[in-house]
Amino acid sequence: GSLFLYISVICLSGLAFRSPHENPLRLKAYVFWAGASAAVTLLAMQPKGAWAVAMGVVFLGLLEGFPAGNTLSAGLRKGLVWNLWFILGVSAVIGPVLLFFLLEGALGSWARDNVVFLFANYRPYLDVPQASPWGIISHLARLALQQPSVHLVLNIIGYLFFLLVAPGIAFGYVLWRVFLVRSRAEPYAGLLLLFFLQGLGAYFSELHAPDDFHLMSAAPLMLILLVYTVRCALNRSWPLRRPLRVLAWAGLMLMCFTGLRKAANTLEINTPVQTRRG
C-alpha cells in the first residue's frame, strides 16, 4: 500500500512541478498512472487507498488555482480535465476487478468482505490488538514511572514526535503557507500542496493501528515537509533560528544514540532460536 501510494505521488509530482513547455500528453500519462497506482493502493490497503484516491482528486481540483493569475474557481474548472484522466487510471485497475467478480456472481460478497468489513472492523481483526494513541502513551508513561529507563523515555519521545510534534509543525506550517498566505511566488507551491494532502492522508490512514511502525510508514512525506519547514525557519533572521538549530542537532544525536543502543542490544542477545531449518 505505501509503495504504490508514493508511486502515485511521484506521478502527480510531474504535474505539480512541470515546465511551461511540458508535453501535455505526457502530463496526462503521469496523471493516468497516478490514478492507477492509487487504485492498486486501494486494493492492497483499503483505508490508505481511499485516502490516496480522495486526496488525488482534491489535489487535481486545487492545483490549477495556484499559479499566478489564476483563481481557485478557474482552477477547479481546469482541474476537471486532470481529474478525468486520474479517474480513468483508477477505473483501469478497479474496473477489471469488479468485472471479474461480477461475472463470477460474487460482486456483493467481494464488496462486503473487502471493502465494508475491512473499513468497519480493521482494528479488531489485526494480528496484534491495537490500543488508541492515548492508550499507548499512558501505558508507556506508567511503565516509565514504574521502571525508569532511558529506553522507555526515548520510546515515549519518539512516539510523541511521530504522533504529534512532526505532524503539527510540518502540516501546520505548510497549511499556513499554501492555503492562508497563498504565496503564488513560491516555486514549489504545487509540490507543497501535493505533499500536504497525500502526507495528511497517509497519516490518517495509519491511525487504525497507531504504533511506531505504522506511524513511521506514513512519515516520509511529512518528514520532507518538516525539513522544508526547518529550512524556511533557518533562512529567516528571527529569534527561533538558534533554538531550531540546537533542536536539529539534538534530534540527530538522539537518533544516533538510539540506533547505537538498539544495535548494542541486538549484539548482546545470546538466546538460541529454533527455526524450521534448525
Side-chain angles (χ1 to χ4, degrees), residues 5 8-9 12 15 31 34-35 38 47-63 83 86-87 90 171 179 190 192-205 221:
L5 168 66
S8 179
V9 171
L12 288 174
L15 181 65
V31 176
K48 182 170 288 187
W51 279 104
V53 174
M55 293 296 101
V57 170
V58 173
F59 166 73
L60 294 170
L62 294 177
L63 177 65
N83 262 317
F86 186 80
I87 297 302
V90 174
F171 294 138
F179 289 98
L192 290 177
L193 176 65
L194 173 63
F195 289 174
F196 171 79
L197 292 173
Q198 292 289 17
L200 202 63
Y203 174 79
F204 280 116
S205 74
L221 296 176

Side-chain angles (χ1 to χ4, degrees), residues 52-124:
V53 174
M55 293 296 101
V57 170
V58 173
F59 166 73
L60 294 170
L62 294 177
L63 177 65
E64 295 293 346
F66 281 86
N70 284 354
T71 62
L72 285 179
S73 58
L76 286 172
R77 290 194 296 271
K78 291 183 179 181
L80 289 175
V81 176
W82 299 121
N83 262 317
L84 174 62
W85 284 97
F86 186 80
I87 297 302
L88 284 174
V90 174
S91 302
V93 173
I94 299 293
V97 176
L98 298 180
L99 181 61
F100 170 80
F101 283 100
L102 178 64
L103 294 176
E104 294 293 326
L107 183 60
S109 298
W110 175 82
R112 183 176 62 253
D113 293 340
N114 291 277
V115 181
V116 177
F117 179 83
L118 288 178
F119 269 107
N121 301 281
Y122 199 95
R123 182 182 292 183

Side-chain angles (χ1 to χ4, degrees), residues 135-147 152 156:
I136 294 174
I137 291 172
S138 62
H139 176 69
L140 290 174
R142 187 168 58 252
L143 284 178
L145 290 174
Q146 294 173 349
Q147 308 169 26
L152 280 175
I156 294 173

